[in-house]
Amino acid sequence: MFATIQIVLCLILILLLLLFPQTAHSGTDLGLNLFMEALFPYLLPYLVLTQWLLRLTGPMRTKTKRASLYVQAYIISALGGYPTGATTIVYLKNSGQLHLKEANFLLAVCHAPSPLFVLGFVSLDLLHSHTFGWLFLCLLHTFNICCLITGYFLFRKTDPPSISEHNTPLYTAPFSESIRETAPTILLVGTTIIFFTTIQTIVQEGLDQMLPALPYAIELSIAAILEVTNGLQMTVTAFPDLPYISLLVVILLTMQSISIHLQIFVIAKSAKLAVRPYIKLRLLSIIIVPTIYALFFLK
């Protein structure tokens, strides 16, 4: 049944591409511009450097305590943004430094947008606010750190894995390996952003043609669900003076989008990690973070 739904959906999207080729071209251009301007400058250098650092410091972590390893993984993911956390956890798991259950849990916890993306693109470029980005990051990381501490107490009595028993070498040529491992991740991020932005553009065009009276809010919702960067830009542009625009941005940033979640699923699958803990924690954060913002910080 699910396969049938996917086939029908794929055929519908192909038909829309054929019906609106110019719109598809415009959507692809928009997705490419969003990726190059809003994500690529922040993601590429940091992803290369963090992967390089992980390989250089691999031998030092053979005697690293679990708490220190968790903190290192979280700091790297918090500064690099998604999907840096997922690539870091996959590397630590594949190199034998994390048990499978630990890796599944940390995949869910070590997940946050890049501070440069939130502070630069979202807070300053879209909302023209110097405080919103810091406030959102504090709320999100407080939630994640509470979960991280909980996970530490759950796994602290578990014996750490033996790195020497793993067949994968911790490092051979750290810098070249970091470049090689970063390239597929960058390609994955760019592909998903461009693809879902294109799909959102042609779906919006199709809805405009078939349902001209459809509320614009529904079109914005579809855009945000498919690709959060484009959804944020469209939402703030459409409702710049909305009293609760900051709360709406918090919800979109916390909810993220299919594009981002698909990136995590693909990276997790490469290491055979379970995504159920990730899904549960994302649903919990969607409830808790916007609620706290609305109760205590919404003006």
Side-chain angles (χ1 to χ4, degrees):
M1 181 61 181
F2 184 62
T4 304
I5 295 174
Q6 292 184 75
I7 292 172
V8 172
L9 179 62
C10 187
L11 291 175
I12 292 174
L13 293 177
I14 291 174
L15 179 61
L16 288 174
L17 286 171
L18 294 174
L19 291 174
F20 307 110
Q22 190 60 41
T23 303
H25 187 277
S26 300
T28 302
D29 285 343
L30 176 60
L32 182 60
N33 288 333
L34 282 172
F35 173 65
M36 294 303 296
E37 294 178 9
L39 291 174
F40 187 77
Y42 305 136
L43 182 62
L44 176 63
Y46 193 84
L47 197 57
V48 171
L49 290 173
T50 52
Q51 292 299 311
W52 189 16
L53 181 63
L54 282 170
R55 285 158 175 76
L56 287 174
T57 58
M60 304 176 191
R61 289 193 299 274
T62 56
K63 298 181 180 179
T64 298
K65 294 182 179 180
R66 177 172 277 111
S68 177
L69 185 62
Y70 283 17
V71 170
Q72 291 177 40
Y74 187 79
I75 291 176
I76 289 174
S77 66
L79 294 177
Y82 31 66
T84 306
T87 57
T88 300
I89 300 307
V90 165
Y91 172 77
L92 293 176
K93 187 265 182 183
N94 287 341
S95 60
Q97 299 174 67
L98 290 173
H99 287 296
L100 179 60
K101 289 186 177 180
E102 286 181 295
N104 291 338
F105 178 78
L106 289 176
L107 179 74
V109 174
C110 298
H111 182 76
S114 164
L116 293 177
F117 171 75
V118 175
L119 297 174
F121 179 71
V122 178
S123 187
L124 293 178
D125 293 348
L126 296 183
L127 297 178
H128 308 292
S129 170
H130 293 277
T131 58
F132 171 82
W134 292 105
L135 180 57
F136 172 77
L137 289 174
C138 287
L139 286 175
L140 182 63
H141 287 301
T142 299
F143 171 81
N144 284 346
I145 290 172
C146 289
C147 295
L148 185 69
I149 294 172
T150 303
Y152 168 74
F153 283 105
L154 288 174
F155 297 113
R156 63 175 179 168
K157 293 184 180 180
T158 306
D159 293 331
S162 175
I163 300 177
S164 60
E165 294 178 359
H166 199 273
N167 293 327
T168 303
L170 286 179
Y171 70 99
T172 52
F175 181 71
S176 60
E177 286 182 8
S178 67
I179 295 289
R180 180 171 55 84
E181 291 298 322
T182 297
T185 304
I186 291 294
L187 181 61
L188 172 64
V189 174
T191 301
T192 52
I193 289 175
I194 295 170
F195 172 76
F196 282 106
T197 302
T198 304
I199 295 303
Q200 176 269 318
T201 305
I202 62 171
V203 167
Q204 181 177 346
E205 181 67 22
L207 290 174
D208 288 340
Q209 296 288 337
M210 294 182 292
L211 302 170
L214 187 70
Y216 188 58
I218 295 180
E219 296 183 10
L220 291 177
S221 300
I222 294 173
I225 290 172
L226 291 176
E227 211 298 297
V228 68
T229 309
N230 186 38
L232 283 168
Q233 189 174 55
M234 290 177 62
T235 301
V236 175
T237 302
F239 306 109
D241 300 321
L242 188 70
Y244 302 122
I245 187 65
S246 61
L247 176 60
L248 188 56
V249 170
V250 169
I251 294 173
L252 294 179
L253 283 173
T254 310
M255 184 175 65
Q256 294 148 34
S257 62
I258 294 177
S259 171
I260 292 172
H261 298 313
L262 184 61
Q263 295 169 24
I264 304 302
F265 291 170
V266 171
I267 294 171
K269 186 177 181 180
S270 68
K272 298 180 179 179
L273 299 183
V275 296
R276 185 172 296 178
Y278 171 86
I279 294 173
K280 291 179 178 178
L281 208 59
R282 295 286 70 75
L283 292 174
L284 189 61
S285 67
I286 292 172
I287 296 172
I288 293 178
V289 174
T291 300
I292 294 176
Y293 181 85
L295 291 176
F296 298 102
F297 302 105
L298 188 62
K299 297 180 180 180

